[in-house]
């Protein structure tokens, strides 16, 4: 399930596989057999998961087939009408879907590149690198609402940091209206998202890069390989597992940018900043429970689909190397 | 590929991009709106905490702060406790049941909160949990339990079985083995998972937005969000709120940095 990084996991796994065979052969009658009481331990977690996670998720499928408003006792089963409506009769939904994909694509590309470049520059465990890694990681721990407010101020067209800085250095012509411009707004939020989480992904890459043996680079240098060649033939293939993690996590994270969007754009956000999660929330707030449930199922299916596609693509590229 | 000079230049620029906004927010929280707009980078003329007094006093942010403390202080230990119990059992069991229980508990990682929020709202309504902090605690526990089981169960599986078996031979009950062997040995992963959960629970916005109606039950992120609606461009006030909302996590980060990075990457590692 997880891809190990930095060699930490394989070490522990090999230790385990070395340790277990003798016990497996011993079979179970000795005192090493597990006590039946052990089966009580996971029960609370299983109960909580069943009642508050599994059942509600299954119920979402049921609600999705109804026109329920959440309050009335009566509601009708309308079949797949909600799904049809989402894709054919609701420009708000298709707009949010398009925004969501655009946002995801931009964030995944930029966040992966920025965090990889940062990680490559800060792989060594020197004092300066450690300090900079801690600094770059820092934004990740802030709340999305806080980050949204900070950047709302930066983008403020009248008093914001971006325009006043440009004005101060005489670049008035570059001043923009940022979030005020519908054509650009989503990209400025994407930039905020990268500022927010690139440091987190940098740490994942650092762990991956530190797992690459230095001898490989030394041997390549002796063979006369240039820096670029070293990158394409050593670094890139060997950092692929870390890339898979970063891309998968960034995808899910950008799908869930809900908090950031609400913070920066207000509730409900304007159309140019509306994504699926905010759209679902708006339908819910409008007491369209059945329709919101249907949208949320599409949302879940899309996340699963994108994650699956990514794994396929990454596996293919890994095989080619 | 990268010469030392471009490397330094790039790192310096990125450091500025991180530091400048944060400095402007800290300075800004001590300024008047006019002062902030006149010179966002300048050091504040006075360090009078006017914005903080207003934010904590009149606007219910003090109350929200306490609500957030209560919710996190309950959600994090409960999640860790349930997850460590399950993780311990999964690590000690063998074969089908170990695999099935772990798989079932971890499956929830694939379910985004938006997917089941409508039925959860209805369920909470029927249980009388709407607009209560208890409901928020429950929602937090449920939503982070899968990843916590994943982190803790994964770690406990790497502990040598001999330790468990030795204590079983001594006739120790599973509970004693859990409490006096598995838990102490799992301290690093408990710390990492605990901090990871704390960041998520402290910053959680969707659940409060869904479940909380009355202003006195708001948690910090929700209070901040509604705050922004009321004080569109009163940035000093917003900045003071941002700093109040970030302070506990930032203080914890400064002292427990190692565990933060371990925990948050363990979270990122779930893919």
């Amino acid at each position: 399930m997880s891809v190990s990084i930095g060699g930490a996991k394989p070490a522990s796994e090999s230790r385990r596989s070395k340790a277990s065979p003798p016990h497996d052969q011993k079979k179970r009658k000795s005192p090493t057999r597990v006590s039946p009481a052990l089966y009580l331990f996971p029960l609370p977690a299983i109960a909580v998961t069943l009642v508050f996670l599994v059942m509600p998720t299954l119920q979402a499928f049921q609600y999705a087939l109804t026109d329920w408003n959440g309050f009335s006792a009566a509601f009708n089963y309308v079949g797949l009408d909600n799904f049809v409506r989402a894709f054919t009769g609701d420009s708000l939904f298709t707009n949010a879907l398009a925004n969501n994909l655009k946002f995801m694509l931009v964030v995944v590309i930029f966040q992966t590149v920025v965090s990889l470049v940062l990680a490559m520059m800060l792989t060594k465990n020197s004092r300066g690198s450690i300090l900079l890694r801690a600094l770059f990681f820092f934004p990740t721990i802030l709340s999305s609402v806080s980050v949204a407010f900070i950047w709302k101020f930066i983008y403020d067209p009248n008093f914001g940091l971006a325009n006043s800085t440009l004005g101060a250095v005489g670049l008035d012509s570059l001043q923009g209206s940022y979030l005020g411009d519908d054509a650009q707004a989503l990209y400025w939020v994407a930039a905020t998202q990268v500022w927010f989480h690139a440091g987190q992904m940098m740490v994942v890459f650092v762990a991956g890069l530190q797992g690459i043996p230095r001898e490989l680079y030394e041997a390549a240098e002796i063979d006369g390989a240039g820096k670029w060649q070293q990158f394409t033939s050593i670094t890139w293939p060997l950092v692929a597992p870390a890339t898979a993690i970063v891309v998968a996590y960034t995808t899910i994270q950008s799908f869930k940018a809900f908090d950031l969007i609400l913070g920066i754009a207000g509730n409900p956000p304007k159309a140019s900043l509306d994504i699926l999660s905010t759209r679902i929330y708006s339908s819910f707030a409008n007491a369209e429970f059945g329709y919101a449930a249907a949208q949320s199922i599409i949302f879940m299916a899309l996340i699963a689909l994108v994650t699956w596609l990514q794994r396929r693509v990454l596996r293919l590229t890994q095989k080619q190397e | 590929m990268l010469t030392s000079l471009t490397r330094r230049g790039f790192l310096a620029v990125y450091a500025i991009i991180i530091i400048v906004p944060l400095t402007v927010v800290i300075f800004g929280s001590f300024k008047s709106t006019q002062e902030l707009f006149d010179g966002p980078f300048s050091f504040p003329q006075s360090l009078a905490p006017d914005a903080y007094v207003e934010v904590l006093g009149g606007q219910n942010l003090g109350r929200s702060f306490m609500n957030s403390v209560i919710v996190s202080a309950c959600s994090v230990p409960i999640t860790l406790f349930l997850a460590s119990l399950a993780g311990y059992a999964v690590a000690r069991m063998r074969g089908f049941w170990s695999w099935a229980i772990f798989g079932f508990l971890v499956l929830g990682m694939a379910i985004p909160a938006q997917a089941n929020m409508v039925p959860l709202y209805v369920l909470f309504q029927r249980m009388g949990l709407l607009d209560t902090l208890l409901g928020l605690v429950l929602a937090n526990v449920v939503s982070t339990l899968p990843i916590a089981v994943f982190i803790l169960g994964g770690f406990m599986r790497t502990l040598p079985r001999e330790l468990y078996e030795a204590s079983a031979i001594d006739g120790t009950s599973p509970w004693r083995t859990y409490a006096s062997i598995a838990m102490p040995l799992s301290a690093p992963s408990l710390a990492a998972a605990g901090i990871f959960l704390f960041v998520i629970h402290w910053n959680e916005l969707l659940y409060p937005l869904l479940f909380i109606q009355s202003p006195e039950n708001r948690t910090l992120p929700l209070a901040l969000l509604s705050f922004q609606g009321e004080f569109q461009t009163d940035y000093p006030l917003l900045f003071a709120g941002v700093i109040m909302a970030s302070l506990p996590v930032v203080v914890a980060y400064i002292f427990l940095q190692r565990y933060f990075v371990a925990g948050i990457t363990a979270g990122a590692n779930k893919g």
Side-chain angles (χ1 to χ4, degrees):
Chain A
M1 168 156 298
S2 76
V3 189
S4 59
I5 31 172
K9 265 205 180 133
S12 54
E13 270 159 23
S14 68
R15 182 178 59 184
R16 192 170 127 65
S17 62
K18 250 180 265 164
S20 39
H23 300 291
D24 289 340
Q25 286 156 13
K26 218 187 275 173
K27 289 279 154 154
R28 42 192 65 189
K29 40 184 157 175
S30 61
T32 63
R33 161 178 65 114
V34 295
S35 147
L38 199 63
Y39 287 88
L40 297 175
F41 280 60
L43 282 187
I46 291 175
V48 165
T49 305
L50 260 182
V51 176
F52 295 100
L53 190 70
V54 176
M55 274 169 37
T57 306
L58 294 177
Q59 221 158 17
F61 284 89
Q62 186 197 348
Y63 290 163
L65 303 175
T66 71
D67 63 358
W68 194 33
N69 63 13
F71 307 104
S72 64
F75 56 85
N76 308 308
Y77 281 91
V78 294
L80 296 176
D81 281 8
N82 286 327
F83 294 91
V84 175
R85 175 181 164 195
F87 287 111
T88 57
D90 183 1
S91 62
L92 289 174
F93 179 82
T94 36
N95 165 61
L97 177 61
N99 283 345
N100 216 146
L101 294 175
K102 222 187 294 175
F103 184 75
M104 183 197 79
L105 210 64
V106 173
V107 171
V108 167
I109 292 171
F110 280 90
Q111 188 155 298
T112 308
V113 171
V114 170
S115 56
L116 178 59
V117 171
L118 289 176
M120 286 173 63
M121 291 175 168
L122 298 172
T123 305
K124 283 190 194 128
N125 280 329
S126 67
R127 185 181 283 242
S129 292
I130 292 172
L131 198 76
L132 282 179
R133 289 203 302 246
L135 175 71
F136 295 168
F137 182 83
F138 179 80
T140 296
I141 68 169
L142 300 175
S143 73
S144 322
V145 183
S146 299
V147 171
F149 289 176
I150 296 172
W151 282 83
K152 218 169 111 86
F153 174 66
I154 295 174
Y155 293 145
D156 191 310
N158 302 317
F159 325 104
L161 203 56
N163 278 351
S164 59
T165 310
L166 287 172
V169 295
L171 292 169
D172 300 59
S173 56
L174 291 179
Q175 290 177 339
S177 56
Y178 308 100
L179 303 169
D181 182 342
D182 283 344
Q184 305 172 1
L186 197 66
Y187 300 105
W188 294 112
V189 181
T192 306
Q193 174 79 1
V194 174
W195 181 89
F196 193 6
H197 287 299
Q200 185 186 1
M201 296 304 122
M202 168 200 73
V203 173
V204 178
F205 273 129
V206 167
L209 289 169
Q210 286 181 340
I212 301 176
R214 294 238 49 91
E215 295 80 39
L216 288 177
Y217 292 103
E218 286 160 17
E221 223 150 275
I222 293 168
D223 291 344
K227 289 279 181 193
W228 176 249
Q229 242 184 320
Q230 289 181 24
F231 175 78
T232 52
S233 54
I234 302 175
T235 312
W236 182 243
L238 288 181
V239 88
T243 313
I245 296 168
V246 167
V247 171
Y249 197 74
T250 305
T251 306
I252 297 172
Q253 213 172 42
S254 56
F255 257 96
K256 290 181 176 169
F258 180 74
D259 308 21
L260 191 67
I261 301 266
L262 279 196
I264 214 162
N267 182 15
K270 58 178 181 168
S272 62
L273 288 174
D274 207 12
I275 62 171
L276 289 178
S277 56
T278 49
R279 190 92 293 276
I280 297 169
Y281 180 75
S282 297
S283 295
F284 166 83
N286 279 339
E288 295 184 289
F289 277 37
Y291 188 44
Q295 285 171 297
S296 71
I297 286 167
I298 299 171
F299 180 73
M300 189 164 59
L302 273 174
I303 292 187
L305 178 73
V306 172
T307 315
W308 178 79
L309 271 176
Q310 250 168 28
R311 295 197 152 198
R312 300 278 327 213
V313 171
L314 281 165
R315 207 171 296 157
L316 281 180
T317 50
Q318 266 167 275
K319 268 183 194 150
Q320 274 174 2
E321 300 296 346
Chain B
M1 181 178 60
L2 301 153
T3 66
S4 165
L5 202 67
T6 50
R7 175 176 175 270
R8 275 157 198 266
F10 187 87
L11 290 175
V13 169
Y14 202 79
I16 289 171
I17 293 174
I18 302 288
I19 292 173
V20 165
L22 300 174
T23 318
V24 168
V25 168
I26 296 170
F27 286 178
S29 68
F30 290 100
K31 291 176 179 174
S32 68
T33 309
Q34 194 52 46
E35 198 188 342
L36 178 69
F37 291 159
D38 286 346
F41 300 111
S42 65
F43 199 79
Q45 282 162 6
S46 85
L47 287 176
D50 295 348
Y52 292 90
V53 172
E54 194 179 340
V55 143
L56 286 173
Q59 308 304 331
N60 271 329
L61 223 58
R63 178 69 188 262
S64 307
F65 190 89
M66 281 320 293
N67 288 340
S68 273
V69 170
I70 294 168
V71 170
S72 296
C74 296
S75 311
V76 175
I78 294 175
T79 315
L80 282 182
F81 180 61
L82 295 186
S84 63
L85 278 179
Y88 167 73
V90 162
R92 287 216 55 193
M93 288 173 186
R94 277 163 207 241
F96 175 75
W97 285 110
S98 171
W99 172 83
I101 294 172
F102 189 72
F104 175 76
L105 290 176
V106 162
L107 196 68
M109 289 200 302
I111 303 173
Q114 272 84 5
N116 56 16
M117 69 183 207
V118 178
L120 203 58
Y121 177 90
V122 176
L123 185 64
F124 276 15
Q125 195 174 37
R126 289 186 185 142
M127 295 175 76
L129 288 170
L130 277 193
D131 205 17
T132 65
L133 297 184
L134 181 63
L136 289 185
V137 171
L138 200 57
N140 279 342
V141 170
V142 175
S143 67
T144 49
L145 196 55
I147 180 84
V149 170
F150 182 77
I151 297 173
L152 294 177
F155 184 84
M156 286 173 164
R157 276 177 170 181
T158 66
L159 295 176
R161 292 192 76 89
E162 288 82 356
L163 285 169
Y164 300 136
E165 282 157 5
S167 78
I169 291 169
D170 293 343
T172 320
S173 71
W175 174 255
R176 270 294 298 276
T177 315
Y178 161 81
S180 52
I181 294 181
M183 287 302 269
L185 286 175
S186 304
S189 99
L190 282 168
I195 281 170
F196 179 61
L197 298 176
F198 173 57
V199 175
I200 296 180
H201 295 163
W202 182 262
N203 292 335
E204 177 62 45
L205 177 71
L206 177 65
Y207 293 130
L209 196 62
L210 284 176
F211 302 140
I212 297 300
Q213 284 137 7
S214 38
E216 63 268 22
N217 285 338
R218 282 177 186 160
T219 56
L220 262 180
L222 182 60
L224 266 184
L225 190 71
S226 38
F227 205 59
Q228 178 230 27
E230 293 166 44
F231 303 92
Q232 268 301 336
T233 47
D234 195 337
Y235 284 114
L237 221 54
L238 285 181
F239 289 169
V242 164
I243 288 171
M244 290 315 300
S246 312
L247 213 54
V249 203
V250 173
V251 171
Y253 179 64
I254 291 168
F255 289 105
L256 303 166
Q257 220 193 84
R258 196 155 58 90
Y259 298 109
F260 257 90
V261 175
I264 291 178
T265 16
N269 204 345
K270 69 179 178 177

